[in-house]
Amino acid sequence: MRARHAVRLVFAAKRAWYRLRYRRLTLGRDVEIRGRLRLRRGVRVSIGDRTRLNKLVRFAGPGEVRVGADCLLNATWIGTWTSVTVGDRCLLSDCELLDNDFHNLAPEQRHAPPSPATRAPIVLEDNVWVGAHALVLKGVRVGRDSVVGAATVVRTDVPPRVVVVGNPQQTVKKFHD
């Protein structure tokens, strides 16, 4: 009983410290920061109740990130110029979510500031699992209850209740009701 109370106090202290350090960070009730957080370049981050963050979880860019309740982020990196939305009960394992290309594609524009065409929001619906070293690119919606396999590059929308793997992603399993 004492150990549990001590652990709660440690998590409460970490939440308080990160709220002071990052003014653009909103933490829900009972968020467990088991590792470290890093926010860069003005990103606004909202993390839902009872979400757990392991290892180093990084957020960067001038956009907004919303993480739902009861999620697990494990060594995740989210780069956003627009928005990244993660639903409730999602598992993100050592992966990257990038809602932008960081640079223009055309050779004559590569050194110019990124244009609006270089970015589009990302949405992970509820209960999505993104495996280690996966890369979710701009403009993608991953459907509810889906799995993105390890090292998968997600370039287009993923329907609900499927498993996708590979580069480019391919659907390899469908969960039937």
Side-chain angles (χ1 to χ4, degrees), residues 77-92:
W77 186 63
I78 299 176
T80 179
W81 276 75
T82 60
S83 69
V84 174
T85 303
V86 177
D88 294 337
R89 298 177 328 280
C90 289
L91 304 171
L92 280 66

Side-chain angles (χ1 to χ4, degrees), residues 146-150 152 154 158-159 162-166 169-173:
S146 286
V147 176
V148 174
T152 297
V154 182
V158 174
V162 300
V163 177
V164 295
V165 299
Q169 88 235 23
Q170 297 176 3
T171 301
V172 295
K173 180 173 181 63

Side-chain angles (χ1 to χ4, degrees), residues 81-82 98-106 109 112-121 137-140:
W81 276 75
T82 60
L98 305 173
D99 75 351
N100 63 87
D101 296 332
F102 294 101
H103 301 283
N104 297 301
L105 184 60
Q109 295 177 338
S115 69
T118 65
R119 48 192 175 255
L137 298 175
K138 70 178 183 180
V140 167

Side-chain angles (χ1 to χ4, degrees), residues 20 23 30 58 72-73 89 102 126 133 144 168:
L20 287 173
R23 298 285 183 196
D30 297 328
R58 299 173 294 161
L72 170 64
L73 279 68
R89 298 177 328 280
F102 294 101
D126 292 346
H133 308 293
R144 158 185 221 101

Side-chain angles (χ1 to χ4, degrees), residues 21-117:
R21 178 168 182 179
Y22 297 119
R23 298 285 183 196
R24 294 176 177 250
L25 174 65
T26 303
L27 297 173
R29 186 174 37 87
D30 297 328
V31 169
E32 295 181 5
I33 302 170
R34 298 175 177 181
R36 297 179 300 147
L37 287 178
R38 183 171 298 148
L39 279 67
R40 295 284 188 255
R41 302 183 110 185
V43 66
R44 293 174 310 282
V45 177
S46 174
I47 298 175
D49 297 343
R50 298 170 307 281
T51 289
R52 297 160 293 151
L53 300 115
N54 292 336
K55 301 182 181 179
L56 174 60
V57 177
R58 299 173 294 161
F59 304 94
E64 181 176 355
V65 177
R66 290 180 305 274
V67 178
D70 302 304
C71 292
L72 170 64
L73 279 68
N74 189 50
T76 303
W77 186 63
I78 299 176
T80 179
W81 276 75
T82 60
S83 69
V84 174
T85 303
V86 177
D88 294 337
R89 298 177 328 280
C90 289
L91 304 171
L92 280 66
S93 179
D94 195 11
C95 60
E96 296 181 12
L97 282 65
L98 305 173
D99 75 351
N100 63 87
D101 296 332
F102 294 101
H103 301 283
N104 297 301
L105 184 60
E108 59 278 355
Q109 295 177 338
R110 284 189 191 145
H111 296 281
S115 69

